[in-house]
Every structure is written in C-alpha cells, then in structure tokens.
Amino acid sequence: CLESVPTEELITEGEGLTMPRAAVAMARASRRARVFNLARGFYGKRKNCYAVAKRATDKAMQKMYIGRKEKKRDMRALWINRINAASRLHGTPYSRLMNNLVVSDVQLNRKVLSELAIHEPKSFSALVSFSKQRASEIKAKPGLLSVLE
C-alpha cells in the first residue's frame, strides 16, 4: 500500500514523475508555413525547400529594409533635380534658390516645391521671384556690425 511508504522513497533518481513531452508539431508547421508563404514566387528550391527558403527569405527581408531607406534617398534626389531644372529656367541655381527661400522664411519642403515646379509653373515662377526680391531686401538691411562701425 502506498500510504504507508514515505514520499521520499516514491520519487527516486531517474524514475518517477517526468515532464510531459512538448508538442512541437503545430509551432513547427506554422513557422514553416510562414517561411514558405514569404518565399512564394521564388524559383527552384528557394520556394519549397525549408533550409534554402529560410535563407532566401532572410536575405529578401534585409534587402526590403535597405530598399525602404534607399527609396527615401532616391525621392529626395529626384525632387532636388526637378527643383534645380525648374529654377534654372528662371535664372537661379538650386542652391541660391534654397538659400533665398530660407532667408525669406518660406517653409516649403522639397516635395512641395517639386510638385509646384511640375504642375504649377506660374506659381513656382512667382515663388522664385518673391524669394529673390525678399532675400535681396533682407540682405540689404544694415546689420549690427554696420551700425557699430
């Protein structure tokens, strides 16, 4: 009868109560399904062999991350090129135009300036002439150094 035996004698080293085995099948299947779902459209073993698909999807995710950063750089460069081309039509290079806009306290970003240059050329022309005029007025004002001399 077990009631008469102390509990220390029931549980001995290497036998007795053991932990149940963890069920891995569902986690493994969902992990593999996620990788194969990401690998859809890949060629050869890259789409149906787990080890190859895992490496291919990891590399693809890295390139996606890098691509999102490069897209921002490329768009900024495109906006700058468009603004430069449009401002040169009005006789002002890009750097001088941007300096005039900053001095004139016009707070339009490059994306908006680029859209103005393409879709509203008259507005862009007015903006260029305004910034030239305003910047020349501000630069012509006597500063503190000229007053002290």
Side-chain angles (χ1 to χ4, degrees):
C1 181
L2 289 176
E3 289 136 17
S4 62
V5 180
T7 55
E8 292 82 20
E9 292 176 11
L10 283 177
I11 303 172
T12 59
E13 193 68 35
E15 62 182 2
L17 301 176
T18 59
M19 205 80 183
R21 193 170 80 78
V24 180
M26 284 301 293
R28 179 173 182 262
S30 64
R31 188 168 49 244
R32 291 169 69 93
R34 185 174 63 241
V35 169
F36 288 135
N37 189 29
L38 289 171
R40 273 192 330 215
F42 290 4
Y43 287 107
K45 283 187 173 183
R46 293 165 63 92
K47 71 174 175 290
N48 55 16
C49 177
Y50 178 74
V52 179
K54 177 76 173 130
R55 288 194 300 266
T57 54
D58 285 348
K59 182 60 75 174
M61 298 287 260
Q62 289 173 2
K63 290 186 176 183
M64 284 168 44
Y65 177 82
I66 293 166
R68 288 193 298 272
K69 307 302 172 200
E70 287 176 346
K71 182 180 176 183
K72 293 171 181 62
R73 283 181 231 148
D74 293 344
M75 291 307 294
R76 182 181 168 97
L78 176 67
W79 297 331
I80 289 172
N81 281 335
R82 287 177 175 172
I83 296 167
N84 190 18
S87 65
R88 284 183 186 270
L89 289 176
H90 301 291
T92 306
Y94 170 79
S95 59
R96 194 162 304 132
L97 171 69
M98 293 308 284
N99 182 38
N100 290 344
L101 290 173
V102 169
V103 169
S104 304
D105 199 29
V106 175
Q107 296 179 347
L108 293 175
N109 60 18
R110 287 165 181 83
K111 181 179 179 181
V112 172
L113 287 171
S114 149
E115 291 296 316
L116 275 176
I118 293 170
H119 300 296
E120 297 285 335
K122 290 182 180 177
S123 301
F124 186 78
S125 173
L127 187 65
V128 170
S129 61
F130 168 77
S131 67
K132 272 186 196 176
Q133 178 187 358
R134 183 89 172 110
S136 64
E137 289 172 4
I138 291 173
K139 290 175 183 173
K141 283 185 181 176
L144 183 60
L145 289 176
S146 63
V147 173
L148 292 176
E149 290 175 354

